[in-house]
Amino acid sequence: MTTTIKGANYKTGDSIEVQIVDNLISQIVGHPSENSSQIIAPGLVDLQVNGFKGIDLNSGELTEDEVIQITQFLWEEGVTAFLPTLITNSSAKIESAIDAIVQACDKKVLVGKSILGIHLEGPFLSKEDGPRGAHPMEHIQNPDWQLFSEWQERSGNRIKKITLAPELPGAVEFIGRCAEVGVLVSLGHTAASPEKIQEAVKAGAKMSTHLGNAAHLSLPRHPNYIWEQLASDELWISLIADGFHLPESVIKVFTKVKPNTSILVSDSTKFAGLSAGTYSSHIGGDIELSTEGRLFMKRSPELLAGSAQSLLGCVNHMMKSDLANLPTAIDMASLKPMELMSGTLQKLNSKSPTDIVVFEKGKSGLSVIKTFKSGQLVFTR
């Protein structure tokens, strides 16, 4: 079966025709096109998804059908690969969520291909207010290799990324063991000293989770754990560029320091994709979603209650705020996350896996027209 896609190359703007044969790109050729508003780009890759459109991956009651449904919702947003993110919780609820993800991957082939693995964000995090963020104190604990191994076995080795605080007892040794078995270790929700961060990097940590967030409101000028992670050449960083989590000046500085090792994540909650209004959260109580997309605590409006943007929303914010041009913003949300996860830089070229999105460029940014996962059309507008 042959499928043909026409539009502008997201990198160059040149009109191209992409031909897909047997779910692989067979060739990409120049093709005169009158529709310059349609853009062909690689599928977006979100390494931090907590929920979307009313589905909460951390509710404790997650079902395989909900995992399938959230994958389909993300296809509509141009996300062709993602890491379901399980936050700090009881062992029973984490195990239940792992089971639902495994069952969904086994049930639907394209869902299994879309889920790159599981991101475990906790429970090995700082207990300090600020760095802990919204993670429940009662389930925070020190790194436990036996417990992690049990979860990993239960998942069928699907845990591919873990966020932890390197200052915890036993954390550096834990990081080394994760690195040995190919689990990406990301530093986050941490109050670590610069020395401890350096130890973690030497042990094999490769990333910083949503740098600049989950931090104390006030820090020493220097040294501090944000500067130290930013200065570490070995660490990639992820950024929540939703327009609310980080000021534009901070994003500009971070991406200038790490122009080739910065990626975008949504860190989306179940409230992403919903209409503005008041909602109830099992973590924060009553929360408010504004018409602008800001999610905050109803009783403390100055405090965010998580992200309500998709990864595509972050791409559009980067462009709208002149923080990145179109090719760079898309790369930060597609090729770069895949490079981090796989260690190789993939490009949109012949014989490559066919995760493609056709975007339309309008006044408000990019919107999705079609999404192809592994060469199959999974969404069309």
Side-chain angles (χ1 to χ4, degrees):
M1 180 178 177
T2 301
T3 302
T4 300
I5 309 170
K6 298 177 182 179
N9 184 318
Y10 85 104
K11 279 281 195 184
T12 65
D14 297 333
S15 295
I16 58 173
E17 180 178 286
V18 179
Q19 293 182 0
I20 302 171
V21 179
D22 296 331
N23 299 331
L24 290 175
I25 297 175
S26 64
Q27 64 176 342
I28 300 176
V29 297
H31 182 81
S33 175
E34 298 179 357
N35 192 349
S36 60
S37 66
Q38 292 193 7
I39 297 168
I40 299 175
L44 304 185
V45 179
D46 197 341
L47 302 188
Q48 194 160 1
V49 175
N50 306 285
F52 201 76
K53 278 194 175 180
I55 297 174
D56 187 352
L57 296 175
N58 294 281
S59 66
E61 300 175 350
L62 184 68
T63 67
E64 65 178 77
D65 287 341
E66 286 180 319
V67 177
I68 293 169
Q69 191 173 18
I70 199 172
T71 304
Q72 294 168 337
F73 286 153
L74 292 174
W75 288 338
E76 295 174 10
E77 294 290 320
V79 176
T80 55
F82 72 106
L83 293 180
T85 297
L86 305 182
I87 68 168
T88 303
N89 217 326
S90 67
S91 292
K93 290 185 176 181
I94 289 175
E95 290 166 4
S96 176
I98 288 173
D99 291 346
I101 293 168
V102 170
Q103 291 160 8
C105 290
D106 290 342
K107 186 175 182 178
K108 296 286 187 179
V109 173
L110 287 182
V111 170
K113 290 182 177 181
S114 296
I115 293 177
L116 292 176
I118 295 170
H119 171 200
L120 200 60
E121 188 185 5
F124 313 133
L125 308 176
S126 171
K127 291 185 177 181
E128 294 189 28
D129 289 342
R132 190 182 77 255
H135 290 250
M137 176 75 82
E138 64 267 29
H139 297 306
I140 296 286
Q141 58 180 295
N142 293 329
D144 184 331
W145 184 255
Q146 181 177 346
L147 178 61
F148 173 78
S149 297
E150 291 173 1
W151 289 340
Q152 185 67 293
E153 182 178 1
R154 193 181 192 104
S155 74
N157 290 316
R158 282 185 171 87
I159 300 175
K160 300 297 184 182
K161 177 187 173 190
I162 183 168
T163 294
L164 55 75
E167 69 271 24
L168 300 178
V172 173
E173 293 78 10
F174 185 94
I175 290 170
R177 299 185 78 169
C178 284
E180 287 176 0
V181 297
V183 175
L184 174 67
V185 177
S186 188
L187 308 182
H189 292 275
T190 174
S193 66
E195 294 75 19
K196 190 58 68 174
I197 291 170
Q198 293 168 14
E199 288 182 39
V201 171
K202 288 179 182 178
K206 296 294 184 185
M207 183 183 175
S208 296
T209 293
H210 49 49
L211 189 64
N213 295 116
H216 293 100
L217 293 178
S218 297
L219 287 170
R221 284 181 305 166
H222 42 72
N224 65 54
Y225 47 79
I226 293 179
W227 283 119
E228 191 62 36
Q229 291 175 86
L230 192 61
S232 174
D233 293 332
E234 295 84 355
L235 292 177
W236 289 60
I237 61 172
S238 66
L239 306 171
I240 308 172
D242 62 350
F244 308 108
H245 275 77
L246 291 172
E248 293 172 10
S249 58
V250 172
I251 295 176
K252 183 179 289 188
V253 170
F254 283 4
T255 53
K256 280 190 174 182
V257 173
K258 294 183 179 289
N260 299 313
T261 51
S262 296
I263 68 170
L264 302 180
V265 295
S266 70
D267 200 13
S268 61
T269 63
K270 73 173 186 177
F271 305 104
L274 299 184
S275 302
T278 301
Y279 297 93
S280 179
S281 168
H282 64 90
I283 294 178
D286 288 339
I287 59 175
E288 185 84 12
L289 177 58
S290 72
T291 54
E292 296 78 23
R294 184 176 186 269
L295 188 67
F296 58 90
M297 309 292 289
K298 192 167 180 63
R299 294 184 179 180
S300 302
E302 73 280 4
L303 297 179
L304 293 176
S307 168
Q309 298 294 317
S310 69
L311 187 58
L312 179 56
C314 295
V315 169
N316 281 329
H317 177 71
M318 292 291 287
M319 294 189 298
K320 183 177 66 175
S321 302
D322 291 326
L323 294 168
N325 59 25
L326 186 149
T328 300
I330 289 179
D331 280 351
M332 290 176 69
S334 59
L335 301 188
K336 284 297 180 180
M338 285 302 291
E339 180 185 353
L340 173 61
M341 293 301 297
S342 67
T344 59
L345 178 59
Q346 300 176 350
K347 296 182 179 180
L348 187 65
N349 52 29
S350 296
K351 306 305 179 185
S352 65
T354 317
D355 288 0
I356 288 178
V357 180
V358 181
F359 292 110
E360 184 171 48
K361 187 177 182 181
K363 291 182 179 180
S364 58
L366 299 177
S367 59
V368 178
I369 297 176
K370 293 181 180 180
T371 302
F372 293 84
K373 175 64 193 177
S374 299
Q376 298 184 47
L377 181 64
V378 292
F379 170 73
T380 183
R381 190 175 69 190

